[in-house]
Structures are given as C-alpha cells and as structure tokens.
Amino acid sequence: MPEGDTVWNTARVLQRALAGARLTGSDFRVPQLATTDLTGWTVRESASRGKHLLLRLGSPGPDGGERRTLHSHLRMDGAWRAYAPGERWAARPAHLIRVVLRSPGAVAVGYHLHELALVPTAEEDRLVGHLGPDLLGPDWDQAEAVRRLAAHPDATIGEALLDQRNLAGIGNLYKCEVLFLRGLSPWTPVRAVPDLAGTVALAQRLLAANRGRWTQSTTGSLHRGQTSYVYGRRAQACRRCGTAVRKEELGERVTYWCPVCQPLPG
Ligand SMILES: [Zn+2]
C-alpha cells in the first residue's frame, strides 16, 4: 500500500538513480505528455511531499535556468523502479509503463502512475500546496497538523487522518493501525479524541519507522501475516483481546478495527 513511507522510499530510489544526471532520453506513454521530450534536462533532485512525488529538473544548456517538476502520484497501485542500463524491466507488465527516463547510469521506469504532469517548479504549489504538514518532511509541523485536525471537530477521526489537507502521508493502513494502538473507534468525532497530539505523534513515528524498507510493519514484526494489528485482518482474532477484527466502510474507504479494543466514546 503506497503511503507516505513508500513514497519517501521511492523518492530516495529516484534520487540515487538520477540525481545530478543529464537525461539521455525520455518516453512518455500518457496522452497529455506524449510529445514531451526531456532529453538533455538535468535531474536536480527527487523529493516527496505526502504521497506526491516531485522530480525537479533543470533545462539543457549551460545555465540550466529553466526549472520544471515532473509530478506523479502512486495512489494504490503506482510504482517507480530504477534499472541498470541493459537490465530487463521485470517489475511490472510493460503495458503499465507510463514513463521511461534514461540517463547514462540508470533507467527509471514509472508504472501505472497517476496525475503525471510537468509544471514549472515555481508552480509546484498548484499540485501540492493544499497539503497539510508532511509527516516525513524536513518541515514536519505537528502543532499545525493538530490545529488543522481540530478545525473540523465533527469529522470522524478515521476520515480526518486520511484527509491530506490536515496532514500528508497517512493512508488506510496507518490510519487503521494508529486508531487501534490508541484505542480509538474510527467513528470517534475529532472533538472526542482525548489526545490528538499523541495520536498524530504516533502516526509520525510509525511512518518514520518504516522509512528505508519496503515491508510496512506496525507490530515490530516483519514476518508475513504478522505485520499489522488490524489492517487486512478481517475476521481474524485481535492480537490483544481475541475478538474478531471487523471491516466496514467509512467514508470512501474501508476500515478495520476491533470493536472491543476500540469502543466509541460515551
Ligand atoms: Zn481487541
């Protein structure tokens, strides 16, 4: 599940593969960029902002003065992979390829990317300016995230944690797990959450703990089937109390929770 940590890891993969390199070719397989050619552009840096990826480029020529950002979003199923030149692109089927970026040292292939767009770097905010504080960003601001959450007291905490305008990087997995660990029903109104700051701090710690690896674990175990408390565990026994974990729709997403460990307040 691509959440903030996966996107952070992906940004790092692209940074290692391409940063500082001059592109020797590009191949966009989406209609809106079909005629775009980034040959000669230099990759300045790769960054993540919440669940958004930003590949920042400088134009060809001695000054590299024009700055553009290639934006992509992984949603549920997107991925970037870096290959050595000549290596077979084996990660995903070829029909899922949306863009190929070639450099002398590496080839970056983007699969099933969403919201692929090339914008002037100065206008990145058009794409990511609405986001709340980035849980894994260098400018992470917990107080601001809490302030934004608290500004909508009647929202359910389950939906509020997923709303990237409040804080950026939490997806469904971390949402479910944080709420379990805090003993909060996903339907708890934000105003009834006893310690919003503690909840936000825990989410940040869980994402940060999973930086640098691709297996997402909130339990401390990396063994298959033991990496989560409730997420993906419908009808299985709660690891704490043994009650069957439930799965239900909440807003636009499903949520997993233990009805005993996570009671509604009042
Ligand atoms: Zn339980």
Side-chain angles (χ1 to χ4, degrees):
M1 174 77 45
E3 302 195 19
D5 55 336
T6 307
V7 178
W8 189 94
N9 288 344
T10 301
R12 196 168 66 157
V13 166
L14 292 176
Q15 175 78 9
R16 285 177 175 166
L18 295 178
R22 184 158 292 222
L23 297 179
T24 54
S26 71
D27 176 10
F28 285 93
R29 304 182 187 177
V30 292
Q32 71 272 23
L33 292 171
T35 61
T36 299
D37 182 2
L38 294 175
T39 303
W41 286 68
T42 297
V43 177
R44 294 172 47 238
E45 63 175 338
S46 163
S48 62
R49 178 92 188 135
K51 296 194 273 182
H52 299 250
L53 279 159
L54 304 167
L55 195 66
R56 300 184 176 123
L57 306 157
S59 60
D63 61 345
E66 190 184 341
R67 299 286 166 88
R68 289 190 191 167
T69 297
L70 181 64
H71 170 271
S72 57
H73 197 291
L74 304 182
R75 288 201 200 149
M76 310 283 275
D77 50 3
W80 278 94
R81 290 287 184 275
Y83 300 102
E87 186 182 352
R88 206 165 74 85
W89 305 346
R92 303 272 184 98
H95 72 270
L96 295 177
I97 294 173
R98 297 293 177 266
V99 59
V100 179
L101 300 176
R102 296 171 188 279
S103 76
V107 183
V109 179
Y111 297 93
H112 216 184
L113 301 173
H114 303 270
E115 303 173 38
L116 201 57
L118 190 65
V119 301
T121 296
E123 296 174 22
E124 277 181 5
D125 268 6
R126 278 190 357 221
L127 299 164
V128 295
H130 64 289
L131 297 174
D134 181 351
L135 286 129
L136 297 182
D139 55 348
W140 164 237
D141 183 345
Q142 179 176 306
E144 173 64 10
V146 170
R147 192 193 66 74
R148 290 181 180 222
L149 285 165
H152 303 281
D154 296 332
T156 66
I157 187 66
E159 289 176 286
L161 289 178
L162 287 179
D163 188 335
Q164 306 293 301
R165 295 170 297 185
N166 290 331
L167 68 180
I170 297 178
N172 214 18
L173 183 153
Y174 289 107
K175 175 205 78 179
C176 294
E177 296 293 291
V178 166
L179 294 179
F180 173 81
L181 288 165
R182 299 294 296 184
L184 291 167
S185 161
W187 285 268
T188 308
V190 168
R191 61 180 142 72
V193 174
D195 182 5
L196 264 185
T199 301
V200 167
L202 177 61
Q204 199 279 335
R205 283 203 301 277
L206 289 178
L207 262 83
N210 283 297
R211 270 187 306 209
R213 65 182 186 219
W214 297 98
T215 301
Q216 294 166 312
S217 172
T218 56
T219 59
S221 171
L222 296 177
H223 293 290
R224 195 183 185 88
Q226 296 175 27
T227 55
S228 70
Y229 288 102
V230 288
Y231 183 80
R233 299 192 64 242
R234 178 187 192 173
Q236 296 180 50
C238 170
R239 298 194 194 280
R240 192 173 279 164
C241 75
T243 304
V245 170
R246 291 200 196 157
K247 174 186 178 185
E248 246 181 76
E249 293 192 3
L250 168 59
E252 296 174 354
R253 306 291 292 276
V254 297
T255 202
Y256 297 87
W257 88 107
C258 170
V260 173
C261 296
Q262 299 171 256
L264 259 177

